[in-house]
Amino acid sequence: MTDTNQTTYGFQAEVKQLLKLMIHSLYSNKEIFLRELISNASDALDKLRFESIETPSLLGDDTELRITLDFDADAGTLTISDNGIGMSRDDAAANLGTIARSGTAEFLGKLGDDERENARLIGQFGVGFYASFIVADEVCVESRRADLKADEGVVWTSRGDGEYTLESAELDFRGTRITLTLKAEEREFADRFRIQNLVRRYSDHIAFPVQMPASGEDAEGFETINSATALWTRSRSEVSDDEYREFYQHISHDFEAPAAWSHNKVEGKREYTSLLYVPKRAPFDLWNREAPRGLKLYVQRVFIMDDAEQFLPLYLRFIRGVVDAADLPLNVSRELLQSTPGVEAMRSALTKRALTMLKRLSTDDETLFGEIWDTFGEVLKEGLAEDTANRDQLMELLRFNTTASTDASQRESLAQYVERRKEGQEAIYFLTADSLAAAKASPHLEVFRKRGIEVLLLTDRLDEWAISYLTEYDGKPLQDIRRDGLELPGGEPEPAKAEDVADDGVIERLKGSLGDSVADVRASDRLVDSPACLVAARDDIGDQMRRMLEAAGQEVPESKPTLEINLAHGLVRQMSGTKDDARFTDLANVVVGQAQIAEGRLPSDPAVYVNTLNRLLSGAVD
């Protein structure tokens, strides 16, 4: 016999903070608590139906899976019951007393004073059960797992004040019953009409019947108040936009509506239905490539798993949705998909459908797509390296700031860039930098501004790595303007003009002063207003890639840039006339340091650079 003594526990520290936030910050969204509890009940029914495939005895005589809502207006209570998989005592302690999910600290670290933003974060985090405390003074959960005896039930009770109690109990039902003792000001939720409206608004798509006691004086039994039809199995013409949005919120626990969706049924050799969504906001664990991800998988409407990662590549890990197949090969435990040509074919088709959905969004609503790109653009760029088969489709989605952009939000596609290119321009020019401001200030852009040639400005941390997988677009090669071999339309760039400009030996003197700190020194044909710039060899690793490798603890090959100088610039001409070798060396080191700063990085030795500059300034003042 299980010990029936009542035990009191303290909530996990993070749960205390979350409960406080739930109770005090979500009053404007309080009605979503019912959607969350019904969604959890639906998941419990899905899990029982799945486990009963191998163990039919779990269902017993109670084979009609359902969710039941009941209320008592006089007592001010609302009860949500399901005859699903249920919980053991350990399950209740783990699921209701802690947040058993990675990233808790990161999530809580994002919480601030903005109630609207906090609501979004909670939606992304998916802690639906705790929403009960928005409307309830006390929550009582009675549950018994389907494979346990009647005397192995458990009762979990809390007032949301930092503690909860666990008590073993004898329960004559399988599944879970949650009773909310509503706050005095929230007794509107103990009203039949109010409950029915909320179910039809938020949970009509639930694939199980949601029932209430029949109304009327002589009414007996229960009546179903939702359509109880899996939304993805219905024809697209039968599903409204509001229903699609509500279903997305059901499967994602997101407070925001989705940006776009795609509902498709495939018939023939492989039969399956898919419903894919593009969220507006990134989940808090987007950059954790090891986090659970993927689509909800059903086989003939039987729930199989929450995060079926086999159907979409990693760079599309933000896509949410459902896939329901007529048949799929599962392993012995029926939990993990076996890798077969059929699964690979579905993955390929679903990937193309997701990319087509994004492409359609970019065409139909460029402003909204711009917001999606701001949120998921860096993740999509991973696909340039990981998905060669769909690289052309991904290239159509890429968006970049350019020298024509007036602000960071103005981004252009490669197609738009090519359409606007100068007559005779055969290359697509780009520049990588740490920020848009640093990119626009780069001396490498000077000859392009002079000639009116647009340049792509790549400022995301993945850009240099991602762009290395693109050799051309629409037959136009991509060219990094910071590297050797720069070619401009109309022939070679013209050197900056000055009357009878000659190096007067300044290049050889610079080579001698700088030694092996640079690969070479030469006159520049790309500078107009700046005294110097640093040019990388074609095969050298760029600054962005170098920093990524160093941060990952990887060994970075040594490389040295070439110093190009503008012979027409006043500083260079002054250097040419300097007879003092020590002063010349100081000027040479300052010129190199300035070129490094213009690239968005520090001089090789900042302290030496500062001392040298101070020495030159002091001499000028004297």
Side-chain angles (χ1 to χ4, degrees):
M1 189 78 175
T2 304
D3 181 12
T4 59
N5 290 336
Q6 186 182 83
T7 307
T8 300
Y9 301 89
F11 274 116
Q12 185 187 42
E14 290 88 346
V15 177
K16 291 182 182 180
Q17 186 175 348
L18 185 63
L19 286 174
K20 180 180 178 182
L21 177 67
M22 278 283 188
I23 295 167
H24 297 292
S25 296
L26 290 186
Y27 55 84
S28 61
N29 300 293
K30 58 188 177 183
E31 61 190 26
I32 58 89
F33 82 92
L34 187 58
R35 181 193 75 191
E36 295 299 307
L37 294 180
I38 292 176
S39 180
N40 290 345
S42 174
D43 290 344
L45 295 171
D46 270 330
K47 290 172 183 175
L48 175 64
R49 187 163 62 175
F50 171 64
E51 292 193 18
S52 67
I53 295 172
E54 285 194 351
T55 314
S57 61
L58 291 176
L59 289 174
D61 297 329
D62 190 8
T63 58
E64 294 185 12
L65 303 182
R66 62 195 177 277
I67 301 167
T68 304
L69 305 180
D70 202 355
F71 64 95
D72 186 330
D74 294 330
T77 61
L78 173 63
T79 302
I80 301 95
S81 307
D82 69 75
N83 58 343
I85 192 65
M87 292 182 287
S88 66
R89 182 174 180 134
D90 289 342
D91 291 336
N95 297 335
L96 307 181
T98 64
I99 300 179
R101 188 167 171 181
S102 62
T104 303
E106 178 186 354
F107 162 71
L108 290 169
K110 292 181 179 180
L111 299 182
D113 297 326
D114 189 303
E115 293 172 354
R116 186 178 181 84
E117 186 62 26
N118 286 342
R120 293 192 183 107
L121 283 168
I122 290 169
Q124 294 167 33
F125 195 62
V127 284
F129 169 75
Y130 298 108
S132 305
F133 291 99
I134 302 172
V135 298
D137 279 328
E138 182 177 89
V139 178
C140 177
V141 180
E142 302 167 90
S143 189
R144 177 169 65 85
R145 189 173 163 80
D147 54 1
L148 297 180
K149 299 176 182 177
D151 61 357
E152 295 181 90
V154 62
V155 178
W156 181 99
T157 308
S158 177
R159 297 184 63 83
D161 55 1
E163 293 182 342
Y164 65 92
T165 62
L166 270 182
E167 182 178 4
S168 297
E170 184 163 341
L171 301 177
D172 60 0
F173 61 88
R174 173 196 75 222
T176 301
R177 180 167 61 203
I178 302 175
T179 301
L180 309 182
T181 301
L182 299 170
K183 299 176 181 178
E185 65 273 20
E186 307 297 351
R187 291 202 169 192
E188 62 179 287
F189 297 109
D191 175 80
R192 175 182 297 274
F193 183 73
R194 182 79 160 109
I195 295 170
Q196 287 178 333
N197 280 345
L198 290 179
V199 169
R200 288 167 184 158
R201 178 178 177 186
Y202 290 115
S203 306
D204 195 56
H205 53 269
I206 296 294
F208 300 96
V210 179
Q211 301 180 337
M212 290 186 71
S215 58
E217 293 183 6
D218 300 324
E220 295 182 357
F222 292 83
E223 60 179 341
T224 299
I225 58 175
N226 69 322
S227 62
T229 302
L231 180 139
W232 64 88
T233 64
R234 295 158 56 189
S235 169
R236 284 179 294 187
S237 60
E238 298 175 358
V239 185
S240 68
D241 287 353
D242 285 342
E243 287 177 305
Y244 278 123
R245 295 185 186 101
E246 289 158 9
F247 183 70
Y248 165 75
Q249 292 176 324
H250 162 64
I251 63 173
S252 68
H253 298 281
D254 191 349
F255 284 77
E256 289 277 342
W261 57 84
S262 176
H263 187 186
N264 187 55
K265 185 174 183 179
V266 176
E267 296 178 331
K269 184 177 180 181
R270 298 180 183 89
E271 295 187 2
Y272 63 92
T273 301
S274 64
L275 176 53
L276 307 180
Y277 288 95
V278 179
K280 286 184 180 178
R281 295 184 174 272
F284 76 98
D285 55 359
L286 177 66
W287 289 104
N288 179 4
R289 289 168 62 94
E290 304 301 321
R293 61 178 179 83
L295 305 176
K296 283 183 175 289
L297 173 63
Y298 291 78
V299 174
Q300 295 182 354
R301 290 186 57 187
V302 176
F303 173 76
I304 303 299
M305 66 177 73
D306 267 320
D307 302 301
E309 62 184 22
Q310 294 88 344
F311 295 105
L312 288 174
L314 191 57
Y315 71 89
L316 290 176
R317 57 186 175 271
F318 58 90
I319 297 291
R320 297 287 182 264
V322 169
V323 58
D324 189 345
D327 187 30
L328 280 177
L330 303 173
N331 65 7
V332 176
S333 69
R334 297 188 63 86
E335 291 178 354
L336 300 176
L337 284 171
Q338 296 174 355
S339 180
T340 67
V343 172
E344 289 300 316
M346 288 179 63
R347 174 189 174 96
S348 176
L350 289 169
T351 299
K352 291 183 183 297
R353 182 155 295 280
L355 294 175
T356 300
M357 176 171 53
L358 289 166
K359 175 62 177 176
R360 187 174 65 246
L361 178 61
S362 71
T363 302
D364 295 344
D365 192 336
E366 183 65 35
T367 300
L368 179 56
F369 181 76
E371 297 174 3
I372 298 303
W373 180 258
D374 288 340
T375 305
F376 302 114
E378 286 194 63
V379 179
L380 284 168
K381 289 175 186 175
E382 296 174 9
L384 297 174
E386 298 172 358
D387 190 359
T388 56
N390 292 298
R391 190 174 290 165
D392 288 344
Q393 279 186 278
L394 281 166
M395 290 177 71
E396 297 295 337
L397 299 176
L398 297 176
R399 295 294 184 271
F400 303 101
N401 291 120
T402 77
T403 47
S405 301
T406 57
D407 57 59
S409 64
Q410 184 181 346
R411 290 192 168 96
E412 308 292 344
S413 67
L414 289 173
Q416 290 170 319
Y417 177 93
V418 168
E419 185 179 356
R420 293 201 300 260
R421 73 189 189 281
K422 296 278 287 186
E423 183 177 355
Q425 179 183 340
E426 294 301 323
I428 296 173
Y429 300 105
F430 70 89
L431 170 71
T432 59
D434 288 339
S435 67
L436 186 58
K440 289 191 171 184
S442 172
H444 291 275
L445 291 176
E446 292 175 1
V447 71
F448 290 88
R449 288 198 184 96
K450 183 178 180 180
R451 294 195 176 193
I453 299 173
E454 189 174 9
V455 178
L456 302 177
L457 305 179
L458 281 58
T459 57
D460 288 341
R461 60 195 176 103
L462 295 179
D463 276 341
E464 185 180 328
W465 170 77
I467 209 73
S468 67
Y469 292 92
L470 302 183
T471 56
E472 65 175 37
Y473 172 79
D474 194 26
K476 309 292 186 297
L478 276 76
Q479 188 168 4
D480 186 347
I481 68 171
R482 293 173 56 182
R483 296 185 181 273
D484 277 335
L486 180 62
E487 298 178 3
L488 293 178
E492 294 296 321
E494 297 178 0
K497 298 291 184 181
E499 292 298 324
D500 302 321
V501 172
D503 65 26
D504 293 331
V506 69
I507 291 179
E508 292 302 318
R509 291 183 71 188
L510 280 168
K511 289 179 180 179
S513 295
L514 296 174
D516 60 0
S517 63
V518 294
D520 194 12
V521 181
R522 64 182 177 221
S524 179
D525 52 12
R526 70 181 81 204
L527 294 173
V528 177
D529 300 314
S530 299
C533 69
L534 297 174
V535 177
R538 284 182 180 270
D539 299 326
D540 281 352
I541 293 178
D543 292 341
Q544 284 185 345
M545 183 68 75
R546 182 176 296 275
R547 282 192 289 272
M548 286 178 62
L549 291 174
E550 289 173 346
Q554 300 293 318
E555 185 176 349
V556 182
E558 184 179 359
S559 62
K560 296 177 183 178
T562 293
L563 177 69
E564 289 194 358
I565 60 170
N566 180 359
L567 293 175
H569 195 277
L571 178 57
V572 177
R573 299 180 72 179
Q574 183 184 29
M575 290 176 62
S576 179
T578 300
K579 305 301 182 184
D580 185 337
D581 288 342
R583 177 176 171 80
F584 183 91
T585 299
D586 282 348
L587 287 170
N589 288 325
V590 167
V591 166
V592 173
Q594 287 179 341
Q596 290 172 323
I597 293 172
E599 299 289 332
R601 51 193 169 108
L602 290 174
S604 302
D605 191 328
V608 171
Y609 173 80
V610 170
N611 289 334
T612 302
L613 186 60
N614 287 341
R615 186 162 56 247
L616 289 171
L617 291 174
S618 296
V621 172
D622 292 342

